[in-house]
């Protein structure tokens, strides 16, 4: 402190004695002092090291400015240090779309003609196959509303899966193929392309989407009861609202509903004392009954899945199961099992958790996926006990996952072994060609302003900020 005070007093005395201004510099090693007069900025030009002279761009029209002359913004920005390679225009494709592409005639095109190109899903297919966006995840559904079109990029993982599907033997148990990769790499978009192709090949597509909302619906869980109204200790949990929503999804997709109208039930189904579905009823009527009676919707969904598998074994229909977030069918759900906190004598329908029980929710047992009626029906479609069908899906890790984004790391050892055998297909981040095609698509849709991708430097900055991640690139381009 004493040295600092002496230094301050010495500086003040020195500055008072000098007739000219003094310049103080503050190096990183400590406080420095210089008693030489400061130079005016207009008297000298900036000194550029010799090795950087090639990068020093000086405007020929720039002239020395006098102290009293106002400096224009053009004169200030006339001196730049810019790499010459960034002054070239970006090499974006003129049109990212492929002309006259029809998904049902995919194999008539050469891979080099369609790779890294976009194609627009026809409005009729968007309505009949995807239910006007009902089967799409929220981010893709939002894109459809913004761009007024549903467009998909044809990527290498999609071509690889289509090659396998073209050689599948339907006489064997269903072939299972799953996309995997980092978060935001475009797995769901590739899966939607596969679903569009399978529908064009006259497959009965069973969509299993929104699994995250399904396994987190802990507010609407009912347990099976016996004739006296007691909760069965080994009964499966019912999810009335979610089960009814899934049945409604099957009927709202026109292509799927046409198949369900033709397929019939093999036996009588008794749902209560006076309610039943007679033998020979169409599966669409079963779905309609489950929608009108949500309390029995989970059992109706299980019956519909069983009937579809039976018709597939008989060769009446070819079935394609499309599963998004397939890992959620194997992981423990966050739904609390209230039966674990109650004794056998207290298993009554009117029993509810007290405030003390709710504070101890972390100690309660969670339900396994097979203890939910609807999830159990979905898991039966992944079994190897039926034929004339295929299973496609994607495995998605979480942002907090530290392990590699491989199927074994995402599923876990036990779930990985139970799902085997299956074919894993990695969906990597964008390469340079895909990245440029995506930027050209945003530019074509007016989602990205032209001046923001007018130089190769700006394209390089977008590539660096997004790290070629499709989701991250979309978030950045929202602001440009």
């Amino acid at each position: 402190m004493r040295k600092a005070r002496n230094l301050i007093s010495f500086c003040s005395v020195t500055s008072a004695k000098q007739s000219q201004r003094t310049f103080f510099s503050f190096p990183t090693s400590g406080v420095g002092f210089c008693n030489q007069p400061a130079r005016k900025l207009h008297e000298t030009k900036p000194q550029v090291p010799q090795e950087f002279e090639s990068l020093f761009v000086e405007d020929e029209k720039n002239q020395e400015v006098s102290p009293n002359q106002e400096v224009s913004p053009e004169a200030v920005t006339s001196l730049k240090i810019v790499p010459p390679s960034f002054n070239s225009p970006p090499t974006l494709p003129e049109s990212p779309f492929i002309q006259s592409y029809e998904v049902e005639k995919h194999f008539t095109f050469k891979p080099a003609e369609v790779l890294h190109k976009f194609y627009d899903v026809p409005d009729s297919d968007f309505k009949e196959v995807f239910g006007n966006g009902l089967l799409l995840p929220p981010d893709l559904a939002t894109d459809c509303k913004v761009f007024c079109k549903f467009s998909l990029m044809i990527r290498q993982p999609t071509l690889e899966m289509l090659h396998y599907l073209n050689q599948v033997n339907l006489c064997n148990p269903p072939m299972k193929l799953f996309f995997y990769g980092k978060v935001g790499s475009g797995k769901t978009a590739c899966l939607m392309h596969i679903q569009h192709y399978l529908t064009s090949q006259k497959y009965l597509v069973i969509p299993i989407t929104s699994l995250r909302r399904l396994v987190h619906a802990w507010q609407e869980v009912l347990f099976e009861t016996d004739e006296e109204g007691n909760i069965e200790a080994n009964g499966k949990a019912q999810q009335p609202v979610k089960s009814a929503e899934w049945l409604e999804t099957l009927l709202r997709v026109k292509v799927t509903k046409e198949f369900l109208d033709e397929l019939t039930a093999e036996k009588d189904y008794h749902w209560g004392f006076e309610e039943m579905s007679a033998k020979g009823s169409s599966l669409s009527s079963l779905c309609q009954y489950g929608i009108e009676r949500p309390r029995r919707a989970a059992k109706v969904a299980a019956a519909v899945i069983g009937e579809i598998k039976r018709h597939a074994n008989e060769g009446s229909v070819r079935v394609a199961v499309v599963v998004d977030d397939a890992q959620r069918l194997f992981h423990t759900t966050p739904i609390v099992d209230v039966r674990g906190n109650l004794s056998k004598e207290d298993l009554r329908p009117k029993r509810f958790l007290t405030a003390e029980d709710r504070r101890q929710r972390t100690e309660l047992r969670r339900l396994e996926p097979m203890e939910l009626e609807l999830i159990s029906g979905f898991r039966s479609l992944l079994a190897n006990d039926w034929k004339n069908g295929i299973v496609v899906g994607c495995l998605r890790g979480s942002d907090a996952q530290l392990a590699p984004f491989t199927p074994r790391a995402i599923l876990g050892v036990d779930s990985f072994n139970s799902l085997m055998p299956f074919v894993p297909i990695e969906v990597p981040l964008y390469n340079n060609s895909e990245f440029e095609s995506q930027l050209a698509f945003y530019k074509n849709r007016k989602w990205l302003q032209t001046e923001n991708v007018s130089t190769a430097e700006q394209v390089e900055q977008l590539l660096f900020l997004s790290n070629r991640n499709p989701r991250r690139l979309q978030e950045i381009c929202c602001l440009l």
Side-chain angles (χ1 to χ4, degrees):
M1 291 294 295
R2 182 177 300 174
K3 292 182 178 181
R5 291 173 183 174
N6 295 337
L7 178 61
I8 294 173
S9 60
F10 176 74
C11 293
S12 59
V13 171
T14 306
S15 60
K17 292 181 178 181
Q18 289 179 344
S19 58
Q20 296 177 343
R21 288 185 178 180
T22 59
F23 174 76
F24 294 88
S25 61
F26 298 91
T28 56
S29 59
V31 179
F33 178 74
C34 176
N35 50 3
Q36 294 182 0
R39 291 184 244 178
K40 297 182 181 180
L41 294 178
H42 69 275
E43 294 179 355
T44 60
K45 294 183 179 180
Q47 299 295 326
V48 182
Q50 185 176 2
E51 57 270 18
F52 295 107
E53 287 184 356
S54 61
L55 302 179
F56 191 75
V57 182
E58 182 176 359
D59 191 357
E60 297 180 356
K61 298 181 180 180
N62 183 37
Q63 299 177 356
E64 186 174 337
V65 184
S66 61
N68 300 327
Q69 182 179 354
E70 294 184 359
V71 182
S72 62
E74 292 77 6
V76 175
T77 59
S78 61
L79 298 178
K80 303 178 183 178
I81 298 180
V82 180
S85 60
F86 287 160
N87 293 329
S88 60
T91 57
L92 297 181
E94 296 181 0
S95 176
F97 297 94
I98 180 174
Q99 302 297 331
S100 66
Y101 176 82
E102 297 179 2
V103 69
E104 60 271 11
K105 300 178 182 179
H106 170 79
F107 289 98
T108 61
F109 294 87
K110 296 180 180 180
E113 298 175 352
V114 299
L115 191 61
H116 306 158
K117 296 287 187 178
F118 280 86
Y119 81 96
D120 288 333
V121 177
D123 295 338
S124 58
D125 290 357
F126 181 70
K127 180 179 180 180
E128 298 176 2
V129 178
F130 299 102
N132 278 333
L134 180 66
L135 301 183
L136 299 179
D139 52 349
L140 289 181
T142 303
D143 291 347
C144 295
K145 294 181 181 179
V146 172
F147 300 136
C148 300
K149 275 287 186 180
F150 184 34
S151 303
L152 294 171
M153 182 191 293
I154 304 175
R155 304 183 64 185
Q156 182 61 39
T158 306
L159 298 181
E160 182 180 353
M161 183 174 286
L162 290 176
H163 173 72
Y164 296 146
L165 294 176
N166 194 39
Q167 300 179 0
V168 66
N169 186 2
L170 297 177
C171 296
N172 296 327
M175 175 186 282
K176 291 174 281 190
L177 306 101
F178 289 93
F179 291 119
Y180 74 95
K182 294 184 179 180
V183 178
S185 59
K187 300 178 290 295
T188 303
C190 294
L191 187 63
M192 295 300 103
H193 187 178
I194 298 297
Q195 180 177 345
H196 190 200
Y197 171 78
L198 292 174
T199 307
S200 68
Q201 301 301 311
K202 308 303 180 183
Y203 277 86
L204 168 57
V205 177
I206 301 179
I208 302 176
T209 58
S210 304
L211 282 177
R212 183 182 182 278
R213 289 182 293 176
L214 178 63
V215 299
H216 282 75
W218 56 269
Q219 304 95 333
E220 301 163 350
V221 176
L222 301 177
F223 293 93
E224 294 182 357
T225 58
D226 55 19
E227 297 179 355
E228 298 179 358
N230 299 326
I231 297 177
E232 297 182 4
N234 298 325
K236 293 185 178 181
Q238 314 288 323
Q239 295 174 290
V241 176
K242 297 301 179 182
S243 301
E245 289 178 355
W246 184 74
L247 293 175
E248 187 177 3
T249 300
L250 296 180
L251 297 184
R252 290 183 63 179
V253 179
K254 183 178 179 180
V255 179
T256 305
K257 185 178 183 301
E258 291 176 355
F259 280 102
L260 297 180
D261 290 336
E262 299 176 0
L263 303 180
T264 57
E266 182 188 21
K267 60 181 181 180
D268 297 337
Y269 288 95
H270 296 272
W271 310 113
F273 295 104
E274 299 180 355
E275 294 179 316
M276 65 169 290
S277 297
K279 177 182 177 180
S281 303
S282 64
L283 297 187
S284 59
S285 63
L286 283 179
C287 294
Q288 188 63 38
Y289 174 82
I291 297 172
E292 296 173 355
R293 303 287 193 279
R295 191 178 182 86
R296 312 192 203 286
K299 289 187 174 296
V300 172
V304 170
I305 291 174
E307 291 291 340
I308 291 176
K309 291 177 63 176
R310 181 184 64 83
H311 282 285
N313 285 326
E314 295 176 356
S316 304
V317 64
R318 297 185 302 172
V319 180
V321 184
V322 180
V323 190
D324 194 13
D325 278 358
Q327 77 282 350
R328 297 189 184 275
L329 296 176
F330 300 91
H331 293 171
T332 302
T333 68
I335 302 175
V336 176
D337 184 9
V338 296
R339 301 170 301 177
N341 242 28
L342 304 177
S343 61
K344 214 166 188 179
E345 293 78 13
D346 295 332
L347 292 176
R348 298 287 179 180
K350 296 183 180 180
R351 180 71 178 182
F352 59 92
L353 295 177
T354 62
E356 181 65 24
D357 294 331
R358 296 185 182 279
R359 284 192 292 268
Q360 300 176 355
R361 284 188 62 183
T362 56
E363 302 178 1
L364 299 180
R365 178 181 174 276
R366 310 288 171 162
L367 289 176
E368 295 296 327
M370 293 300 291
E371 294 181 292
L372 296 173
E373 186 78 39
L374 186 58
I375 298 295
S376 178
F378 293 159
R379 285 278 295 271
S380 67
L381 291 170
L382 305 183
N384 298 322
D385 57 352
W386 60 295
K387 61 180 182 179
N388 210 23
I390 55 177
V391 179
V392 296
C394 65
L395 303 172
R396 181 179 291 109
S398 62
D399 294 325
Q401 182 176 340
L402 299 179
F405 293 93
T406 58
R408 188 185 180 102
I410 295 173
L411 290 170
V413 177
D414 296 337
S415 301
F416 179 84
N417 294 334
S418 63
L419 186 60
M420 287 290 290
F422 67 95
V423 180
I425 301 175
E426 183 181 7
V427 180
L429 301 179
Y430 279 163
N431 55 27
N432 290 337
S433 179
E434 292 172 333
F435 182 82
E436 293 173 356
S437 180
Q438 185 68 62
L439 286 183
F441 172 78
Y442 287 148
K443 184 178 177 181
N444 179 273
R445 297 297 191 199
K446 310 301 182 183
W447 183 251
L448 190 62
Q449 297 183 17
T450 307
E451 57 269 18
N452 292 324
V453 287
S454 58
T455 64
E457 180 185 17
Q458 295 170 334
V459 175
E460 290 288 339
Q461 290 176 352
L462 289 175
L463 188 146
F464 173 77
L465 293 174
S466 63
N467 194 25
R468 294 190 176 91
N469 189 295
R471 180 183 299 178
R472 180 59 182 158
L473 177 63
Q474 181 187 20
E475 294 173 354
I476 294 174
C477 292
C478 288
L479 309 174
L480 301 180

